[in-house]
Amino acid sequence: MKLYQKIMALIFGILTGCGLFCGWLLGTNYEKRQMLRAAEAEVRSFESARYAVEWMYQTEPGAGGTAGEGGFRRLMERMFRQKLFDGCIWIAGGEVLCDSSLYAVSWEGNWREEGRFQETEWVLEQGGGEYWVVIGSALPWLGEDNYLFSVQEVTEVHRETAEFVRQFTLIWFLFVAAASLLGAAAAKLVLKPMGILMRAAGEISRGNYGVRAKVGRRDEIGRLAAAFNLMAEQVESRVRELTLAGEEKERLLGSLAHEMRTPMTVVLGYSDTLLNMKLGEREQRQAIRGIYEQAGYLQRLSAKLMELTALHQNESISMEAQSMEAVLEQVVPMAESRWPDRRFCLETEQDFTLCGDRDLLVSLFVNLLDNGAEASAPGQEIRVTVREEEVLIRDSGKGMTEEALRKICEPFYRAEKSGKEGIGLGLAICEQIVCLHRGKLRFESRAGEGTTVTVSF
Amino acid sequence: MVENRILIVEDNPAISELLEMNFSVAGYRTDHCPDGEEALALLAEDGEFDLALVDIMLPGKDGFALLPFFKERGIPVIFLTAKDDVMSKVRGLKGGAEDYIVKPFEVLELLVRVEKVLGRTGRLQKILTVRDVEIFQESRTVMRGGEEIRLKPLEYDLLVLLARNKNVTFSRERLLREVWGDLYIGETRTVDVHIGQLRKKLGVPGLIQTIPKIGYRLEERG
C-alpha cells in the first residue's frame, strides 16, 4: 500500500469515526431537546384545558355535586364532543367518562396505586415507530380518583430529527470523501520528490555515483534531499579514493613482481648451476655469493615494502611538536658519518615547530640527504636551509633530466647507473612521510647543475 | 680449438655475472656490456661474435633499438628479458630475434637454446675437442689418438650434445628429448644403454660421469 493511500485511508477512517460519534451525540441531544420542547408545549395546552375544566366546574351553576354526576358531566361530554379538549381523556373512579382521543386506555400498570399524576406529569411513550406525549393530572376539586389525561402524537418531532441526522450524515460523508481525496492528492504532491530520491538511490546502487537528486524545495524533504546528495557526494569521493588506492596498490604489486624477477632469476640460476654443473672452487664461491647477495636484496626489498605499507596504514605514528632545527641537527651528523667525503651545511633562517613523528622526519631527511650525497661528487657541498614552514636541500651534483624528475617518486624507479644497492622505494617512502605530515615534496633539477628538494609543510 | 663467442648485453650485474659464469663453464667465451651504447661501441671495435644475448630494458638504447645493428653484422640475437607480455615477444621475434627467453630462466634450457640457435645459423664450432677426443662435425666422425671411433648416429648425437655443454648435467629425460626428439616415447633405460655403448667405444675413463639420481655429464677435466 502506498503512503498516499495510507494517508487517505487514515483521513477517511478518522473523519468517519468522528462523524459517526458526533452525529450520534448531536442527533440524540437534538431529539431529546425537541421532544422536551414539544412536551412542554403540550403540557401548557393541557394546563389551560385543565384550568378551563376547573373554571367551568366552579362557574357552572348547579354543579358542585359529586363528580361525574349531573349537569357538569353533561357539560363536559358536550365539550369533549365538540373537540374542545382534543385528545383528552377524563377518567373517574376507574372508568373513562369522556374520551376525545384516538387511543384506548390500557389499564395495565398500577399508576393509581403508585400515586402518580397527582400533580401534572408527562411521560413519553413509543410503539410501532410512533411517539406520544402522555400528560396526566388529578382533578382534586372533582373528588378523589378523577384524572384528566391528554395523549398527543409527537412522531413528527422524531422524524424531523432522524431527517436531520440523515442529512448530516450524507453531508459529512461527502465532506469526508472530499477531504480524503484532497489529502491523498496533497500527500502525493508532497511525496513526489520521494520518487526522485528513490530513483537517484537506485542509480547510485547500480554504481552510477555521479547522480544527484534535484528537489527544488526548502522543507523537510528538501533537507532530506540535500542530506542525500551530501551522502552521495561522500560515497562518490570515497569510492574514487578507494579505486585510486586500489589502482596504486595494483601498480605497486605489479612493479614488485617485476622487481623480484631479477633477484629470483639470479638465485634460481646460481642454484641451478650449483646443482647441475661441475664447477671449480672459485665458481662455486661466486655462485654462493651471488645467491647470498640477491637474497639480501630481496630481504631489504621486503623490509622497505613493509615500511611503505606501514606508512600507508598510519599505525604507530605519534604526532608531537618537533623543532625542525632539532630534527635536522640530529640528521646532519648521521649523513656526515655515512658520507665522510661530502660536506653538509645546515643553516637556519627561521626555525619552526611541526606536529610530527620524530623517527619518520629523521628517516625522511636522512633519505633526502643520502640522495643528495649520492648525486654529488666527493668534496661537494649539500646545503640544508630551514625557512618559514619549509626545508630546502640543495646539492650541486649531477642533477636529473626532466623525464627522471617526473618518475623519481614512483615506486621502484631508479636513476640510471645508481648503485645496485638501491631498491627504488626511498623517495616513494619520503613522499608518503611528507604526505602524512600534510606537506608537499617538490624537486627542481637540471642535468649537470644539481638538485633542490623543497619540503613545505 | 676456437670457442663460440657470446656477447651479453645486460644492465644488471648479478645476472650478467651468472650468465658469464655459466657460459664459460659450458665452454663459451663471453663479453659483457652493461648498456646499449657500450654494446654498439664494442661492436664497432670488434664485431666477431657468434651470438648476442640482449636484455630489452636497458639504459640508453633498449634491446629493440639494438637489434638492427646486430642484424647488420649477421649476429643472431636472443632476447633475455623480464618482459613477458605478448606484444614484446611479437615485436622481438618479428624484428628478427632468433629466440625470446623470459626471466627467470633455467640455465640448462638457456644453454640448449643458445646451441640450437648457433646450429641453425651454422655458427657451431666445426671441431669439438674433449681431452684427446676430437669430433669433426662436418664429416660426423670421431677421432681419438689418430684412430676413428665408429659411432651409431644416436650415440654420435648424444656425444655432441654432452660435448657442447661440458660440465653440464643432463637428466635422462632431457637427453631423451634433445637427442631422440619430442615425439619419441620410450624409457629412460634407452639412454643408459646408449651411454654405456658410448663409454665403451670412447674408452676414456671418467669422461662421461653418472650423476646419481639426476643423469649424466661430460667432464672436461679428469
Side-chain angles (χ1 to χ4, degrees), chain B residues 73-132:
Chain B
R73 285 169 179 76
I75 301 171
V77 169
I78 295 181
F79 278 128
L80 186 62
T81 175
K83 280 171 93 82
D84 65 347
D85 57 302
V86 178
M87 275 320 294
S88 298
K89 281 183 192 171
V90 169
R91 196 173 158 204
L93 294 172
K94 268 194 122 176
E98 291 292 331
D99 209 341
Y100 191 104
I101 299 172
V102 176
K103 293 173 189 172
F105 50 84
E106 237 182 282
V107 172
L108 194 57
E109 171 151 4
L110 177 66
L111 289 173
V112 171
R113 278 160 91 159
V114 162
E115 193 195 316
K116 287 259 165 74
V117 169
L118 288 174
R120 233 180 10 242
T121 52
R123 287 167 174 272
L124 280 178
Q125 290 165 248
K126 307 285 185 283
I127 304 160
L128 291 171
T129 316
V130 201
R131 301 201 199 177
D132 56 349

Side-chain angles (χ1 to χ4, degrees), chain A residues 191-205:
Chain A
L191 294 175
K192 201 176 150 201
M194 291 294 184
I196 298 175
L197 275 176
M198 217 164 70
R199 276 194 297 280
E203 282 293 309
I204 285 171
S205 69

Side-chain angles (χ1 to χ4, degrees), chain A residues 245-256:
Chain A
E247 277 169 7
E248 197 191 314
K249 221 164 247 174
E250 223 160 79
R251 263 203 306 281
L252 189 69
L253 214 63
S255 14
L256 176 69

Side-chain angles (χ1 to χ4, degrees), chain A residues 120-399:
Chain A
T120 306
E121 245 179 70
W122 65 272
V123 284
L124 192 66
E125 296 283 338
Q126 92 176 84
E130 303 198 331
Y131 292 78
W132 304 273
V133 177
V134 179
I135 310 160
S137 181
L139 304 172
W141 24 265
L142 277 181
E144 257 192 37
D145 212 5
N146 273 282
Y147 295 92
L148 183 68
F149 284 95
S150 166
V151 182
Q152 302 296 333
E153 196 181 345
V154 287
T155 310
E156 190 61 25
V157 174
H158 171 78
R159 249 209 347 264
E160 266 174 21
T161 315
E163 177 65 21
F164 169 77
V165 169
R166 204 176 60 82
Q167 278 185 12
F168 173 82
T169 311
L170 189 71
I171 291 170
W172 184 255
F173 270 110
L174 282 175
F175 166 74
V176 166
S180 302
L181 286 175
L182 276 173
K188 222 174 169 178
L189 199 72
V190 166
L191 294 175
K192 201 176 150 201
M194 291 294 184
I196 298 175
L197 275 176
M198 217 164 70
R199 276 194 297 280
E203 282 293 309
I204 285 171
S205 69
R206 275 191 291 278
N208 203 347
Y209 298 107
V211 169
R212 297 288 176 273
K214 288 188 191 69
V215 178
R217 289 203 195 185
R218 287 176 164 200
D219 54 7
E220 285 84 345
I221 290 176
R223 288 214 298 279
L224 175 66
F228 175 86
N229 285 343
L230 190 69
M231 183 195 76
E233 209 147 284
Q234 293 289 330
V235 167
E236 192 186 10
S237 73
R238 193 87 191 99
V239 164
R240 201 183 305 126
E241 239 168 65
L242 282 176
T243 316
L244 280 180
E247 277 169 7
E248 197 191 314
K249 221 164 247 174
E250 223 160 79
R251 263 203 306 281
L252 189 69
L253 214 63
S255 14
L256 176 69
H258 182 85
E259 218 44 40
M260 285 175 65
R261 209 164 240 181
T262 302
M264 281 304 182
T265 305
V266 176
V267 169
L268 281 174
Y270 275 128
S271 21
D272 193 5
T273 312
L274 281 171
L275 278 173
N276 291 325
M277 287 175 121
K278 184 181 159 65
L279 300 176
E281 181 92 356
R282 200 179 57 78
E283 283 117 349
Q284 276 183 16
R285 285 199 63 81
Q286 185 195 336
I288 290 167
R289 204 187 63 237
I291 291 172
Y292 177 77
E293 275 169 9
Q294 294 304 314
Y297 172 85
L298 282 174
Q299 195 261 329
R300 284 201 305 283
L301 179 68
S302 87
K304 282 279 173 196
L305 214 62
M306 294 271 275
E307 205 177 307
L308 193 62
T309 44
L311 283 179
H312 268 292
Q313 282 161 357
N314 287 358
E315 275 165 16
S316 69
I317 292 168
S318 57
M319 293 295 205
E320 281 159 18
Q322 310 284 349
S323 153
M324 196 41 72
E325 196 180 15
V327 170
L328 287 165
E329 272 167 2
Q330 183 186 344
V331 170
V332 169
M334 288 164 83
E336 275 167 348
S337 68
R338 258 179 73 90
W339 304 87
D341 54 353
R342 310 286 204 275
R343 287 186 295 130
F344 291 91
C345 168
L346 172 64
E347 53 181 25
T348 311
E349 286 176 20
Q350 191 186 350
D351 187 23
F352 62 93
T353 44
L354 173 76
C355 188
D357 184 293
R358 187 160 187 118
D359 292 340
L360 289 183
L361 287 173
V362 166
S363 131
L364 165 70
F365 287 111
V366 163
N367 238 311
L368 292 176
L369 286 183
D370 245 17
N371 285 343
E374 196 163 329
S376 329
Q380 278 184 325
E381 188 183 65
I382 292 110
R383 182 175 287 269
V384 185
T385 315
V386 182
R387 286 207 307 228
E388 201 180 342
E389 309 287 291
E390 263 186 353
V391 179
L392 265 68
I393 296 156
R394 225 169 314 168
D395 68 66
S396 35
K398 57 188 174 191

Side-chain angles (χ1 to χ4, degrees), chain B residues 18 21 32 41 53 79 121 123 132 141 176 186-187 189 203:
Chain B
L18 168 74
M21 187 179 109
H32 161 241
L53 272 175
F79 278 128
T121 52
R123 287 167 174 272
D132 56 349
T141 49
L176 210 55
E187 285 184 55
R189 282 280 302 149

